[in-house]
Amino acid sequence: MEWIYAAPLELGGGRYLRLILQAKRARYNDRAGGYWYYQHLDHGSPPGSQAQTLIGHAASVPGTLPLYVFYHATSATAPATGRLPAIEGVNLVFADLVAPVVSAKCQRKDKKVSRWRASFMPLSTILCWPVTVTPPQLPAPSDITRLVIGGAETPFPLLNYGFHPDVVARRLNERRDQNVDRKADSPMFVMPVDSERREQDVDAKADGPTLAVPVDQIPDNIQRAINGEMTAEDRRALTRPRVIFTTRLTRNDPDYPIIEKLSR
């Protein structure tokens, strides 16, 4: 699945960030006292090749960040404890943390939920965003959508949704910083991100963490989807389920600093 955050009103043909999500479901093993694990975490032939393909594809497409989505049954969930995040029904993990582990003779202990818990992010990291309200323009333009209740026209405010690609990217990159010091039941490799490097070196390197970096110029096929003008060819070209979040917000909007602050 892919989630796309787009700001079509930005200069330079709009701006966007694409997240590619690879799903894995936790299963329960009743041996050795019982534990939850991701049976197919190292999927592929050779083992782990799926993760490498995910990383490679994301690196080849500007503005793309790969993530793993871990699904857990209710009986596997657990509240946050100490410095460890909660195990929720859905958790996210940066894919570049998973890839080197599953490609290096991945063992059963490397597939345990507890092995990855230190790097968990909640689904709200990419789903829940603040909204600011812009008062309706009066008099309203003739071509604006109007809300009529009981025969009377009602002013309809414009909503500036917080899922601007730069706001999303900043939150994701900061979340990576926040889990650097966490420790799971077994050692967990977590790649820190230097804040100065994030600002100065936006190109993810092969030997460093993959950063969320939005890009300009929304592709034509995505722009057509935003406009509700997808063609039959566009639909045939879809290789995975896709969700597009759009916002009227731009980096020059007075609401942008408010949204950015509330999103942290």
Side-chain angles (χ1 to χ4, degrees):
M1 177 183 291
E2 64 180 35
W3 286 19
I4 296 173
Y5 300 87
L9 299 185
E10 285 281 7
L11 297 177
R15 194 163 170 83
Y16 73 103
L17 175 71
R18 176 190 283 109
L19 305 181
I20 295 184
L21 309 175
Q22 177 63 58
K24 296 296 175 184
R25 180 166 62 92
R27 297 175 180 270
Y28 185 73
N29 190 320
D30 58 7
R31 298 179 180 178
Y35 58 88
W36 289 91
Y37 74 112
Y38 309 108
Q39 181 179 5
H40 301 294
L41 188 62
D42 60 347
H43 179 74
S45 181
S49 59
Q50 182 187 61
Q52 300 304 321
T53 299
L54 178 67
I55 294 291
H57 174 71
S60 69
V61 181
T64 301
L65 178 73
L67 296 172
Y68 270 85
V69 182
F70 290 151
Y71 292 95
H72 307 111
T74 302
S75 53
T77 59
T81 58
R83 300 172 71 184
L84 290 176
I87 302 174
E88 301 182 350
V90 180
N91 285 105
L92 309 172
V93 171
F94 292 104
D96 63 343
L97 300 181
V98 177
V101 175
V102 299
S103 63
K105 297 182 179 180
C106 184
Q107 301 179 28
R108 181 60 62 91
K109 64 181 179 64
D110 296 318
K111 298 181 180 182
K112 289 184 177 181
V113 172
S114 59
R115 168 70 167 82
W116 298 99
R117 184 175 179 180
S119 293
F120 279 179
M121 296 180 289
L123 180 61
S124 59
T125 302
I126 61 174
L127 184 61
C128 298
W129 303 94
V131 175
T132 60
V133 178
T134 300
Q137 183 179 346
L138 297 175
S142 59
D143 61 347
I144 196 171
T145 300
R146 299 170 185 271
L147 178 64
V148 178
I149 300 178
E153 184 175 326
T154 300
F156 192 77
L158 297 176
L159 302 180
N160 282 328
Y161 293 97
F163 33 75
H164 187 284
D166 285 85
V167 175
V168 177
R170 187 181 187 93
R171 177 189 280 185
L172 284 166
N173 292 333
E174 288 181 347
R175 292 297 185 273
R176 188 189 284 268
D177 282 346
Q178 291 173 4
N179 67 21
V180 166
D181 295 326
R182 291 173 181 161
K183 295 181 180 179
D185 295 342
S186 57
M188 175 63 201
F189 171 77
V190 181
M191 179 76 75
V193 179
D194 180 79
S195 58
E196 183 176 353
R197 178 196 166 195
R198 182 188 300 117
E199 300 297 332
Q200 298 179 356
D201 183 15
V202 297
D203 294 325
K205 304 292 183 64
D207 59 348
T210 303
L211 304 181
V213 183
V215 293
D216 294 328
Q217 193 60 57
I218 297 174
D220 290 342
N221 64 319
I222 296 177
Q223 188 63 60
R224 287 194 295 271
I226 293 172
N227 296 339
E229 300 171 350
M230 284 186 67
T231 65
E233 183 178 352
D234 288 336
R235 291 185 172 85
R236 286 193 296 268
L238 288 175
T239 57
R240 60 181 66 87
R242 182 178 69 185
V243 178
I244 302 177
F245 300 88
T246 64
T247 179
R248 297 172 52 87
L249 197 67
T250 70
R251 288 168 291 176
N252 293 325
D253 194 301
D255 284 342
Y256 184 84
I258 300 173
I259 290 289
E260 188 176 42
K261 182 177 180 179
L262 292 175
S263 297
R264 292 187 171 182

